[in-house]
Amino acid sequence: MDYLRACFLSAFLLAVCIPIIRAVETQPSPITKDHLLVLTIATKETDGFLRFMQTAKFFNYSVKVLGQGEAWKGGDVSNSIGGGQKVRLLKEEMKNHAEQKDLVVMFVDSYDVIFAGGPEELLTKFQETNHKVLFAAEGLIWPDKRLGEKYPVVRSGKRFLNSGGFIGYAPQINEIVGQWQLQDNDDDQLFYTKLYLDFTQRERINITLDHKCRVFQNLNGATEEVSLKFEKGRARAWNSMYETFPTVIHGNGPTKILLNYFGNYIPNAWNPETGCGFCEVDTLELSSLSEFPQVTIGIFIEQPTPFVPEFLERILALDYPKEKLSIFIHNKAVYHEKHIKTFWDQTKNVYRSRKLVGPEEDLSEGEARNMGLDTCRQDKECKYYFSIDADVVLTNPKTLVLLIDQNRKIISPLVTRHGKLWSNFWGALSSDGYYARSEDYIDIVQGKRVGVWNVPYLAHIYLIKGETLRSELKERNYFILEKLDPDMAMCRNAREMGVFMYIVNRHEYGRIISTANYNISHYNNDLWQIFENPVEWRQKYINENYTKIFTENISEQPCPDVFWFPILSEKACDELVEEMEHYGQWSGGKYADHRLSGGYENVPTDDIHMSQIGFDKEWLHFIREFIAPVTLKVFAGYYTKGYALLNFVVKYNPARQAFLRPHHDASTFTINIALNKKGIDFLGGGCKFARYNCTIESPRKGWSFMHPGRLTHLHEGLPTTKGTRYIAVSFIDP
């Protein structure tokens, strides 16, 4: 029995182990990188080609480029059939490798392809297919849908061939392309498809498709399957349908924008661990140059816009040699002609050249923007065109230098609207070409991801190379296209020309202001912008020392419980006075006053109410935002509602009303802001508090008194002996 058991065990071991040993003996050795040849076609060095080569360099692929310097005769493959020229070039090249049995050749397109993995990964995946040739696969059939039923049935995976990428041994690749007998403008994918559908050839050559996207990921028809993943300090595209990390990503068909999104990360452009991986690649350093390049600045004022004088001041303050700058201005708004004139007078003999196109020219926005571009295009000395709209608050004077240093064909600094996610770029487009939010949009806007980002749309402010205007964008019309607004038209044209557009958020550059509801019926219209553009309003109209009230305790107490502090800028004071004088309906200091509910004023002043000029809501907001915090500081424990029925500007002069008799105010507390300067605009004046026998004779322009209104602070306005004195008064919490 033991003998039989031993015989049975020996037979079993021989049956099991010998096939395993044979399998190990016949297992092919791994293909090494030096047996790989990558071929691509590029008749022009487009931005897409340069990106492709950058990813190839990262993984140390050795790429041979065919067709360089040759005219493209393969048709408009982005919109129709064509591409035969690629097969013809491959056929010519493969004659040199036809006998190299150990050589693996991969062909990929270059304009819309990026590498996501290295040669070792690629060769391992190819070898695991156990086929001689592997073509990319996709879920959509092109160009002849009638051939769909002839494809082999696939239980799982993509069924149809895509010719944008394939890999195989040199003799087999040579045999395939050697059959090409067609014209350059015939369709390459149709050629490969028919060969693959020929059962005899498919079996003889041993061709298969990459059904589950292990090597080649075509994005067309698969956008919902592919997402971005960060793995081991690198970005990868993850196919959730087949749970694969493809090695080559192909943005075929209408998926170029999605490919650009992936290209912002894959393979090393950005990751959470190290941040931007190519922000410093191919950059310039202007500071090291002996001479700065010539720049044309295109300024566009297409509608009445708040804070235009300040906008123009920031243009003048740009940190760039003025003699290297040329100015082109298109002003569509008659309202801003006075502001342009001031700037024009101020910059005489400052810039290299200046050109102004005003509202009398009656140009459309698209026509004006085309003219601005052409100003640089026609000037061979113009190296850059810097376009900026009047709604951009450019807070960083080094913006122009920083953009030039990045060395991109079209680049825009990130600017956002205060307190909102509104910015000057789109991270994605909807199917009809309008705004869609990309996965990374909010992180880029909020600065959680910092870098240089390839985007489909940008506006408001951007830099374009003059060389690009004279080559890829050499046509004169880029801003007028169908029913698109000018910026959308320009961006669509750039995308179709294959010119990448970048947004950069590596620094703080500025903001975009709101032009909505900008009413120009007033004399100084920016005063009303406290709600729409609060940051700009504060910068223009709040005293520069206001925050020192809280940080350095600079408020003073010249009389008991009378606090004195800086609140309004000189500009605010001047404009408020101008607004009142422009309105002109001063009350005359009469007891009868129809503006009051009772029709009578016990202690009348010569004044104009804020409500008369439609400024009451804005003034009350000013009280709540800027007066209330001071109140809490100086009257600890008192929380004001910031409510006031009477808010007005008083006018004192010897000819009308020089002083105001002693009185209490109908308020919990009162503010009294000096709007002009004693000794320059008037003599005399001041305020006396009777209970404390305390007089303040030298009010400072833009500074406010704050004092209790009832019971304790009986006070009077001292005589103005010369000139005119203006004060702004509010009776708060009556």
Side-chain angles (χ1 to χ4, degrees), residues 147-160:
L147 297 176
E149 61 186 22
K150 297 183 179 182
Y151 270 85
V153 175
V154 177
R155 285 182 296 177
S156 176
K158 307 297 183 186
R159 186 180 181 189
F160 307 115

Side-chain angles (χ1 to χ4, degrees), residues 52 69 88 100 338 359 434 478 525 545 552 708 730:
F52 167 80
R88 192 250 303 164
Q100 296 175 256
K338 57 186 177 183
Y434 288 86
Y478 281 98
N525 300 287
N545 292 316
E552 300 179 23
S730 286

Side-chain angles (χ1 to χ4, degrees), residues 622-674:
F622 156 73
I623 290 172
R624 295 181 189 116
E625 288 291 310
F626 300 102
I627 297 297
V630 182
T631 306
L632 184 60
K633 177 177 173 59
V634 299
F635 294 119
Y638 179 73
Y639 295 88
T640 176
K641 300 173 184 177
Y643 179 67
L645 288 174
L646 287 178
N647 308 284
F648 50 95
V649 171
V650 180
K651 178 179 183 177
Y652 289 113
N653 66 43
R656 294 172 63 90
Q657 182 180 9
F659 65 94
L660 189 63
R661 65 181 176 82
H663 62 283
H664 286 290
D665 294 334
S667 68
T668 300
F669 69 95
T670 296
I671 58 170
N672 178 328
I673 306 173

Side-chain angles (χ1 to χ4, degrees), residues 435-617:
Y435 171 81
R437 179 171 289 180
S438 61
E439 170 273 332
D440 55 2
Y441 177 83
I442 293 176
D443 281 352
I444 292 173
V445 168
Q446 294 180 341
K448 296 177 182 177
R449 300 185 188 186
V450 175
V452 184
W453 312 94
N454 186 344
V455 298
Y457 171 86
L458 46 78
H460 297 283
I461 175 172
Y462 44 84
L463 183 79
I464 307 179
K465 285 186 175 183
E467 176 187 353
T468 302
L469 293 178
R470 290 183 281 272
S471 54
E472 291 106 315
L473 304 179
K474 61 185 177 182
E475 301 298 327
R476 296 193 62 181
N477 176 26
Y478 281 98
F479 288 97
I480 302 174
L481 183 64
E482 299 171 359
K483 296 181 180 180
L484 299 178
D485 70 42
D487 284 319
M488 289 183 67
M490 189 277 288
C491 292
R492 178 169 155 183
N493 280 315
R495 293 194 305 270
E496 290 181 351
M497 295 299 297
V499 178
F500 289 170
M501 299 172 287
Y502 293 91
I503 198 88
V504 57
N505 65 339
R506 299 182 68 194
H507 303 270
E508 289 288 335
Y509 304 99
R511 299 178 296 277
I512 305 173
I513 62 172
S514 171
T515 58
N517 307 313
Y518 187 50
N519 186 338
I520 58 172
S521 64
H522 310 291
Y523 189 77
N524 290 302
N525 300 287
D526 292 351
L527 279 170
W528 274 258
Q529 288 294 300
I530 192 170
F531 294 111
E532 203 70 41
N533 292 294
V535 175
E536 283 63 49
W537 194 93
R538 175 174 181 150
Q539 288 186 345
K540 183 172 183 176
Y541 294 124
I542 295 300
N543 194 289
E544 63 181 359
N545 292 316
Y546 172 76
T547 56
K548 293 181 180 179
I549 300 170
F550 311 98
T551 60
E552 300 179 23
N553 199 31
I554 66 168
S555 61
E556 301 175 17
Q557 191 175 182
C559 300
D561 284 335
V562 177
F563 297 93
W564 200 13
F565 55 90
I567 185 67
L568 292 181
S569 67
E570 290 209 9
K571 176 67 74 173
C573 296
D574 294 342
E575 291 194 8
L576 194 54
V577 169
E578 289 171 357
E579 200 67 41
M580 294 304 182
E581 287 293 357
H582 178 70
Y583 180 73
Q585 298 181 30
W586 297 96
S587 66
K590 300 173 183 178
Y591 290 99
D593 194 339
H594 68 276
R595 300 171 301 175
L596 305 179
S597 58
Y600 185 82
E601 171 60 70
N602 288 322
V603 187
T605 53
D606 192 10
D607 59 43
I608 295 175
H609 289 188
M610 300 296 184
S611 60
Q612 289 179 265
I613 63 168
F615 196 58
D616 46 335
K617 292 180 180 178

Side-chain angles (χ1 to χ4, degrees), residues 27-232:
Q27 184 76 23
S29 59
I31 305 171
T32 58
K33 178 185 168 184
D34 58 336
H35 285 85
L36 173 66
L37 172 64
V38 178
L39 298 175
T40 192
I41 309 292
T43 56
K44 292 182 179 179
E45 289 193 354
T46 65
D47 287 349
F49 170 77
L50 295 174
R51 175 182 60 190
F52 167 80
M53 294 300 289
Q54 188 176 20
T55 64
K57 181 180 179 181
F58 176 79
F59 290 111
N60 293 316
Y61 280 101
S62 178
V63 180
K64 184 171 184 178
V65 183
L66 308 178
Q68 287 183 303
E70 184 175 310
W72 175 253
K73 300 176 182 178
D76 182 8
V77 292
S78 61
N79 298 304
S80 183
I81 63 172
Q85 185 174 355
K86 293 189 289 184
V87 190
R88 192 250 303 164
L89 290 169
L90 274 175
K91 179 180 178 180
E92 294 170 1
E93 174 64 25
M94 289 308 302
K95 291 176 183 178
N96 302 320
H97 311 287
E99 304 302 323
Q100 296 175 256
K101 295 181 179 181
D102 294 333
L103 179 66
V104 175
V105 176
M106 180 173 73
F107 168 79
V108 284
D109 289 339
S110 62
Y111 295 164
D112 54 3
V113 168
I114 57 176
F115 285 109
E120 295 80 7
E121 173 188 315
L122 170 73
L123 292 168
T124 299
K125 289 177 178 179
F126 168 63
Q127 198 165 17
E128 288 172 351
T129 67
N130 291 319
H131 285 76
K132 296 296 185 180
V133 177
L134 177 71
F135 271 88
E138 61 181 325
L140 304 174
I141 185 168
W142 171 267
D144 190 347
K145 294 182 179 180
R146 296 171 299 178
L147 297 176
E149 61 186 22
K150 297 183 179 182
Y151 270 85
V153 175
V154 177
R155 285 182 296 177
S156 176
K158 307 297 183 186
R159 186 180 181 189
F160 307 115
L161 178 146
N162 178 278
S163 63
F166 52 87
I167 184 171
Y169 290 97
Q172 284 73 27
I173 297 293
N174 178 65
E175 183 176 354
I176 290 172
V177 297
Q179 298 181 43
W180 176 261
Q181 300 294 334
L182 302 173
Q183 302 300 313
D184 281 358
N185 61 354
D186 284 318
D187 195 77
D188 60 332
Q189 186 150 303
L190 184 60
F191 165 73
Y192 292 122
T193 297
K194 289 182 176 180
L195 189 145
Y196 174 75
L197 294 179
D198 184 328
F199 176 81
T200 303
Q201 294 218 67
R202 183 169 72 243
E203 293 297 312
R204 178 173 53 80
I205 301 175
N206 195 4
I207 307 172
T208 190
L209 303 186
D210 187 19
H211 296 294
K212 295 189 176 181
C213 308
R214 298 188 71 238
V215 174
F216 302 104
Q217 177 65 65
N218 293 294
L219 295 177
N220 195 17
T223 56
E224 299 301 317
E225 301 172 12
V226 188
S227 61
L228 188 70
K229 271 197 174 185
F230 297 104
E231 180 194 57
K232 299 178 182 178

Side-chain angles (χ1 to χ4, degrees), residues 701-715:
K701 184 177 181 180
W703 283 55
S704 177
F705 296 135
M706 178 187 291
H707 59 81
R710 297 186 182 90
L711 191 62
T712 58
H713 281 66
L714 182 74
H715 59 284

